[in-house]
Amino acid sequence: MKKTVLLLLFTLLIIACKEEVKQKISLDDIAEDYVRVVLQIGQYDSDFVDAYYGPDEWKPIPISGNSVFQADTFIQVVDGLRYLVDNFDMTNLPENELVRLTMLQKQLLAVSTKVQMMGGTLFSFDEEAKRLYDAEPPHHNQSYFDSLLSLLDENIPGRGDVSKRYNDYAKTFIIPKNKLDNVFRAAINEARKRIDGFFQLPKNENFVLEYVNDKSWSGYNYYQGKSQSLIQINTDFPIFIERAIDLACHEGYPGHHVYNALLEQNLVEGKGWKEFSVYPLFSPQSLIAEGSANYGIDVAFPGKERSEFEKEVLFPLAGIDPIKADAYYKVQALRAKLDYAGNESARLYLNGDISREEAAAWLEKYLLYEPQRALQRTRFFDQYRSYVINYNLGRDLVADYVLKQGGTDDQPKKRWAIFKELLSNPHTASTLK
């Protein structure tokens, strides 16, 4: 059957001849159609396709500037593919193909949900997160964050408003702009060294590092395929010293750069699973991508190894007194416990329970953001919505999974092995439990 993905005729043919089609079509056929439809949808939403490194002939003909998004048509096409996957004949299907089938089911549900949202359908924060990321975000009441804030209050110098005191204190740990590149490259190079021996990445793997402005995020990895990445760092606001290791690991090693390279190497090239040649951002794959990128920071720099490297290398490069480091990182550890406050702010704002200004005020109070930074974060809520859960909930789910598999602090080699397996194979939030 010649592929005519996105044509209504194709969808109607599937619906009319379901039994005949599902007996003849293969997972590879479905995978190709999945890739093509995702790429086509991506032409109407520039955030939707995060990366593509499949065949050039699968790329759609560029749409004209006056093309109108036909949500109903796309939903019919995606639901046709969902039917084929849900009713696929699993007789004698190898176990790894069952994993592949399950992943396609969850990814297609996410694609269908995103198309509905692009067509104007609104879901609650929790329902959206469940459908897009296969996850159930936890809830925390305000008193939970108030108790954590009180503990943090005791460890910040001075008296008065906690957020103002914190920001006054933290200003002494800002990386000067003229030293930013040296600090980041040192952090990335060290992170890269630390994965040697644990990952067999292609010899040609590499990245380009750029500094940009006017973004709703702090850092981004645009994976280019063939183990090449473009890593961008947003310099709209001051960058604090702890963010060097965070972003070096998260965007680079063993984060997004490594994750995408391993999927391409092991699934696309190794197994021929072409559906992994496209990465729809608003899908279960992102919870694993963001969660593993954040968890990978602790894998690469466990325990005191991080602070020792920062004090010996990064603090001097940034011109910051390393003697101040221990007290600062005690404060950062307490502040990290407030992380889920960002999710609550997003939930309340996106559900229409609070205004943008109230959401920003919540971020100022509980995440200790300065006013302009808080407003920038609400721009992220507008653009990416429930995606915020992927960073902290994703990290915690990945950490729990690795720990349950025996990847404890005293078994670093085993932890690396489990982590590598997770990065190299299809996983979602529900399969990690």
Side-chain angles (χ1 to χ4, degrees), residues 119-219:
T121 301
L122 288 177
F123 297 95
S124 70
F125 182 91
D126 287 359
E127 180 65 15
E128 179 186 312
K130 177 67 175 176
R131 293 174 66 93
L132 291 179
Y133 308 114
D134 189 38
E136 298 179 8
H139 287 244
H140 298 90
N141 58 38
Q142 195 165 351
S143 61
Y144 169 77
F145 298 116
D146 284 331
S147 63
L148 293 175
L149 198 62
S150 297
L151 185 61
L152 183 61
D153 183 14
E154 299 170 5
N155 288 273
I156 299 175
R159 295 181 179 179
D161 180 75
V162 179
S163 181
K164 185 179 185 307
R165 283 163 47 212
Y166 169 79
N167 283 290
D168 288 343
Y169 172 60
K171 283 177 182 176
T172 59
F173 297 92
I174 292 172
I175 305 170
K177 279 198 172 183
N178 65 338
K179 298 180 179 181
L180 203 57
D181 191 58
N182 286 340
V183 172
F184 266 104
R185 290 190 184 278
I188 291 173
N189 289 338
E190 180 66 18
R192 179 190 259 160
K193 288 178 186 177
R194 287 170 176 259
I195 74 167
D196 283 350
F198 299 107
F199 298 104
Q200 289 73 48
L201 296 178
K203 292 182 179 179
N204 71 322
E205 67 83 17
N206 207 349
F207 65 92
V208 172
L209 182 62
E210 292 181 351
Y211 300 94
V212 298
N213 296 99
D214 195 27
K215 304 294 182 183
S216 65
W217 36 258
S218 56

Side-chain angles (χ1 to χ4, degrees), residues 14 21 109 154 163 208 260 284 286 375 391:
I14 291 178
V21 172
L109 172 60
E154 299 170 5
S163 181
V208 172
N260 282 292
S286 280
L375 283 173
Y391 299 100

Side-chain angles (χ1 to χ4, degrees), residues 381-433:
F381 297 165
D382 290 333
Q383 187 171 358
Y384 297 104
R385 298 184 57 81
S386 63
Y387 193 93
V388 296
I389 71 164
N390 295 326
Y391 299 100
N392 42 33
L393 178 60
R395 175 201 60 216
D396 292 346
L397 290 174
V398 168
D400 288 345
Y401 173 83
V402 173
L403 185 63
K404 288 175 182 177
Q405 301 298 313
T408 53
D409 291 343
D410 59 341
Q411 296 287 334
K413 289 185 178 179
K414 186 171 184 178
R415 179 164 58 186
W416 274 111
I418 297 166
F419 189 51
K420 178 185 176 183
E421 181 277 332
L422 184 143
L423 294 179
S424 304
N425 294 283
H427 287 281
T428 75
S430 63
T431 62
L432 290 183
K433 294 181 178 180

Side-chain angles (χ1 to χ4, degrees), residues 63 244 329:
I63 59 175
Y329 283 123

